[in-house]
Amino acid sequence: MKKRIAIFISGRGSNMRSLLERIKKGDLKAQCEFVFSDRHDAPGLQKAQHYGVTTYSFGVKEFSSKERYEAELLRLLQKHQVEFIVCAGYMKLIGKTLLDAYPYRIVNIHPSLLPAFPGLRAQKQALDYGVRYSGCTVHFIDEGVDTGPIIAQAVCEVSPKDTEESLSRKILKLEHELYWRALQKIFAGYEIKGRRVIFKR
Ligand code: GRF
């Protein structure tokens, strides 16, 4: 059975695009019900429309509170019977309204090997720290910043010549390969034991 998903973005949407491509090819057994952006000018919105996917965009500031903003999102998610929320460069923290409605069913991708370098500009943080390896992490979202249970990770070398841009490119390539595979794994069933994600298959 195909899982019904919504993809949340804020920007260019290259991860979103690679997921839509995998869905189109039949590699990822999912149906993307809609793409949401909290920014009206996110370039990813047009890309989603090219795939014939419904898009919505509205910002927190258009509502009297974050709760009201998320309540509207929840209304859309329920209307479309969405089972999983897939964040792909969505720059807002997920609040209680959505976390309570989708416990361990909101997924994110982050450009570092968590728990190292959570938050913004993870690639720069990794370079500044001087690590020899970095990569990306797919994880469930909880109430912290990039702290939820880890679903999958991929690793790359950091070369002394790397800049923030070159390392970001290297990691992004890994992200596009990792994200759909990680989703496929959890769609086949999983349970959470402590912090550990145990796949059923
Ligand atoms: C990616 O690096 C992702 O890991 C991070 O934000 C970036 C989004 O890029 N959460 P894109 O919009 O998918 O191209």
Side-chain angles (χ1 to χ4, degrees):
M1 265 293 275
K2 287 185 178 178
K3 294 289 180 198
R4 298 164 74 92
I5 67 168
I7 304 178
F8 285 14
I9 63 168
S10 296
R12 78 191 150 182
S14 75
N15 275 292
M16 173 212 73
R17 187 178 184 201
S18 92
L19 292 177
L20 294 177
E21 194 57 40
R22 290 292 178 175
I23 290 171
K24 191 172 144 193
K25 282 190 192 152
D27 295 337
L28 176 59
K29 307 278 179 290
Q31 163 121 353
C32 183
E33 285 298 314
F34 65 85
V35 167
F36 167 73
S37 170
D38 63 315
R39 296 186 52 140
H40 294 293
D41 60 353
L45 285 172
Q46 276 199 359
K47 290 181 192 154
Q49 284 153 14
H50 281 159
Y51 284 86
V53 175
T54 302
T55 60
Y56 298 104
S57 73
F58 47 82
V60 185
K61 289 194 179 131
E62 294 163 53
F63 295 80
S64 55
S65 67
K66 175 123 178 225
E67 287 71 32
R68 292 259 165 90
Y69 161 81
E70 287 205 340
E72 175 58 11
L73 273 172
L74 188 55
R75 192 186 66 76
L76 291 172
L77 291 161
Q78 286 171 343
K79 179 176 154 206
H80 288 269
Q81 298 177 333
V82 167
E83 295 163 280
F84 286 89
I85 302 173
V86 177
C87 297
Y90 177 62
M91 299 302 286
K92 288 273 168 308
L93 289 179
I94 302 279
K96 193 168 159 37
T97 307
L98 293 182
L99 284 173
D100 287 350
Y102 285 86
Y104 296 123
R105 281 190 290 134
I106 311 178
V107 182
N108 184 42
I109 189 158
H110 181 76
S112 77
L113 294 174
L114 291 171
F117 317 125
L120 295 174
R121 294 186 76 181
Q123 303 91 335
K124 181 170 187 304
Q125 292 185 54
L127 277 180
D128 290 348
Y129 198 92
V131 293
R132 300 293 179 186
Y133 293 91
S134 191
C136 53
T137 304
V138 177
H139 64 95
F140 287 110
I141 291 190
D142 64 9
E143 48 305 312
V145 178
D146 303 322
T147 52
I150 290 171
I151 300 162
Q153 295 185 301
V155 180
C156 65
E157 268 191 62
V158 180
S159 102
K161 287 188 191 143
D162 269 323
T163 59
E164 187 180 358
E165 289 68 36
S166 68
L167 182 59
S168 299
R169 269 199 303 278
K170 236 189 250 180
I171 294 175
L172 196 63
K173 217 169 149 199
L174 291 179
E175 292 183 38
H176 294 165
E177 210 34 59
L178 186 71
Y179 212 176
W180 74 272
R181 290 183 194 278
L183 291 174
Q184 190 72 336
K185 275 283 219 189
I186 61 168
F187 291 169
Y190 61 96
E191 58 179 315
I192 314 275
K193 284 194 176 157
R195 287 198 47 87
R196 300 176 69 189
V197 180
I198 315 290
F199 299 118
K200 293 268 165 72
R201 257 185 271 158

